[in-house]
Amino acid sequence: MDLFEYANSLNFGEVLFKTDPATGLQAIVALHNLKQGPAIGGCRFIEYPSTAEATRDALRLGRGMTYKAAISNLPHGGGKAVIMRPKHLSEEQRERLFEEFGRFVDSLGGRYITCEDSGTNVNDINVAHRFTDHVLGYDPDAGSSGDPSPVTAYGVRRGIEAAVKFKLGRDSLEGVHVAVQGLGAVGFCLARELHELGATLTVADINPAAVERGVNELGATAVSVDAIHAVDCDIYAPCALGGAINDTTLAGLQCTIVAGAANNQLLEDRHGEELHRRGILYAPDYAINAGGLINVAQEYVGYDRERALAKTSEIYETMLAIFDRAGSEDLPTDVIADRIVEEKIFGKALR
Ligand SMILES: NC(=O)c1ccc[n+]([C@@H]2O[C@H](COP(=O)([O-])OP(=O)(O)OC[C@H]3O[C@@H](n4cnc5c(N)ncnc54)[C@H](O)[C@@H]3O)[C@@H](O)[C@H]2O)c1
């Protein structure tokens, strides 16, 4: 699809390009929608096969940030930056790139606020911060929000509690059986919280050390990565890669709830429809995993850990509102989440 057509199909917005021959910077900032406030979105720094691919990635991810911020009731819009990573790069060149990127972000006058994403690290963001104030997550040692993963996990736990309340009519996770796919930064924190709340865990990870830790520290049962989605359990929690719900895994699901941290859990929209048809409650990914964004966004008004956690806890109410409406309108929960956002931003549902 033509790039403008693609941008229009996503309801953009502005797409800004920056090139700087002196440093080699080739950056794209995609500002999807600023109706709710300045856009927050990470800066991705990876190799792309073409400028068109990089632009598409920025567009897709920028739109996603609008939806995540809006469903979380944050006073922010959505955007994303992409810097095309050169094949070879010295430390010094890297620093020059992020200096120039900082100047670029500053030139946008606060409409876009940047932070870490795939390929960038705290040091890159620190470098950019020398040239702009429109940066979050730049200095964990100076009281900023730090690693988002535990807060993301806390938000997912609150979403799971809402799903259990709605679907199983229970206020406690005691004895609820959760199959966690992926015991990484978020997955392990989530599993630990669930364990502390009395849940029974089955886990899988491609990393044997992560599985061993889950078994030893959390009393989890281990299964193979090919079997985790098909565990006979209450909740399947995808916390690894995208596309966990697809034609193959759908055939094996034995859970009543799908609720986890991974982004893009539905391989295609029709997989959300199929979950709905089969009466499996799906917690829309961008709503349940918004804790990391909610956490870093608090830096914008002066970071306070208690307030960040209180705001993340509201994922419980957000989820219940989605589930209730999906129930009364007999529509998939992912469609309802999108509608809630779109009605807020565009005044009408787009699908
Ligand atoms: N970190 C955050 O705050 C955050 C916020 C929102 C969304 N997410 C999403 O949550 C997911 C997990 O993020 P993370 O930060 O914990 O990443 P991570 O890389 O720390 O953890 C991912 C884990 O999944 C395992 N894994 C990979 N492939 C697997 C497979 N096929 N089967 C089972 N396990 C597999 C990895 O070994 C690793 O332990 C990602 O989809 C990410 O985009 C993370």
Side-chain angles (χ1 to χ4, degrees), residues 125-319:
I125 299 302
N126 270 329
V127 171
H129 184 232
R130 289 191 217 133
F131 297 89
T132 183
D133 287 336
H134 308 302
V135 157
L136 301 176
Y138 54 87
D139 191 358
D141 295 333
S144 81
S145 60
D147 178 9
S149 308
V151 187
T152 301
Y154 174 59
V156 175
R157 170 199 134 187
R158 294 293 288 147
I160 285 178
E161 286 173 331
V164 165
K165 173 77 179 167
F166 183 85
K167 189 76 183 171
L168 308 179
R170 296 177 53 178
D171 289 312
S172 153
L173 296 184
E174 188 73 44
V176 171
H177 184 182
V178 189
V180 183
Q181 178 186 43
L183 289 178
V186 180
F188 190 83
C189 288
L190 172 67
R192 189 169 47 208
E193 289 214 25
L194 298 175
H195 171 67
E196 283 164 5
L197 293 167
T200 304
L201 298 173
T202 300
V203 299
D205 197 295
I206 51 168
N207 175 3
V211 174
E212 199 179 316
R213 200 175 159 211
V215 170
N216 292 340
E217 293 182 28
L218 310 176
T221 303
V223 295
S224 78
V225 291
D226 300 330
I228 187 75
H229 66 280
V231 169
D232 186 359
C233 62
D234 298 302
I235 303 167
Y236 169 43
C239 297
L241 310 170
I245 306 298
N246 54 49
D247 289 338
T248 310
T249 57
L250 261 166
L253 287 187
Q254 298 202 61
C255 58
T256 46
I257 294 166
V258 174
N263 280 314
N264 306 316
Q265 288 174 38
L266 304 175
L267 189 61
E268 295 175 34
D269 289 345
R270 67 185 173 85
H271 295 123
E273 287 161 24
E274 181 61 15
L275 287 176
H276 175 67
R277 200 188 61 74
R278 286 177 46 186
I280 299 174
L281 184 68
Y282 169 59
D285 46 15
Y286 68 82
I288 196 171
N289 73 14
L293 173 64
I294 295 170
N295 189 47
V296 80
Q298 302 311 309
E299 287 183 30
Y300 193 69
V301 286
Y303 187 68
D304 177 275
R305 184 75 170 180
E306 290 308 309
R307 194 179 55 224
L309 290 175
K311 183 84 189 145
T312 302
S313 179
E314 291 172 15
I315 287 175
Y316 182 92
E317 285 77 21
T318 300
M319 281 298 156

